Amino acid sequence: MAKLTGTHQVDEFMQRLEHPLKREIEEVRRMLQGMDRELAEQVKWNAPSFCYRNEDRVTFNLRGNGFFRLVLHRGAKASVDSVDMKPYFEDIGGLMEWAANDRATIKLTGMEDIEAKSGLLIEAVRRWVDIE
């Protein structure tokens, strides 16, 4: 059998996923899927992940109790010179926790949290991946 790629790979991963916030993870995944045709899915770091124009940009971090995170990144590792520089853009919504100027996370705790943050979340991801 051929190896699954893209959305089919993530669909299969999600079918097997056991997580207390699975419904919420699926909702955020749907939100990201609807943003742009060039935002493509795969499984990375044992979680759903999105690439834009073949560059890794947003990966779910499912290791949490009562929450999950979206990791916004510019590839697998932070740039060596990124730690002392200003963030990639101003986070006017206050959603993001910056690890470096090219790496941030957004913590989500449940459906109410996702609904409350949805507009800011979409805008932050849109800006992160440079979708016009």
Side-chain angles (χ1 to χ4, degrees):
M1 186 164 105
K3 183 178 176 183
L4 297 175
T5 59
T7 298
H8 297 294
Q9 183 186 44
V10 180
D11 287 343
E12 187 174 279
F13 174 87
M14 291 301 297
Q15 286 177 357
R16 293 188 318 269
L17 179 65
E18 292 184 24
H19 193 284
L21 297 174
K22 182 175 180 173
R23 186 174 71 103
E24 290 83 350
I25 293 163
E26 289 173 335
E27 178 61 24
V28 173
R29 179 182 173 217
R30 276 191 293 276
M31 290 168 56
L32 297 178
Q33 285 173 323
M35 289 182 61
D36 190 279
R37 287 191 322 251
E38 290 188 72
L39 199 58
E41 288 186 286
Q42 65 180 352
V43 173
K44 178 183 182 76
W45 302 335
N46 199 32
S49 184
F50 289 85
C51 297
Y52 186 67
R53 298 181 178 161
N54 297 317
E55 297 288 331
D56 292 323
R57 291 293 177 255
V58 181
T59 302
F60 285 76
N61 177 326
L62 306 179
R63 289 176 246 125
N65 189 8
F67 67 91
F68 63 95
R69 288 187 172 97
L70 290 180
V71 179
L72 308 179
H73 55 96
R74 296 271 176 206
K77 294 184 178 185
S79 335
V80 174
D81 62 343
S82 69
V83 177
D84 297 324
M85 299 172 66
K86 66 180 183 166
Y88 187 66
F89 62 82
E90 183 182 356
D91 174 22
I92 56 173
L95 293 180
M96 302 163 77
E97 293 179 36
W98 294 91
N101 77 322
D102 64 349
R103 187 171 300 267
T105 60
I106 298 173
K107 184 176 180 179
L108 299 162
T109 59
M111 200 58 79
E112 275 187 31
D113 190 34
I114 292 165
E115 289 169 0
K117 295 176 179 174
S118 65
L120 291 171
L121 173 67
I122 294 224
E123 181 59 27
V125 171
R126 185 174 302 284
R127 290 181 69 194
W128 188 264
V129 298
D130 295 323
I131 296 174
E132 283 81 40

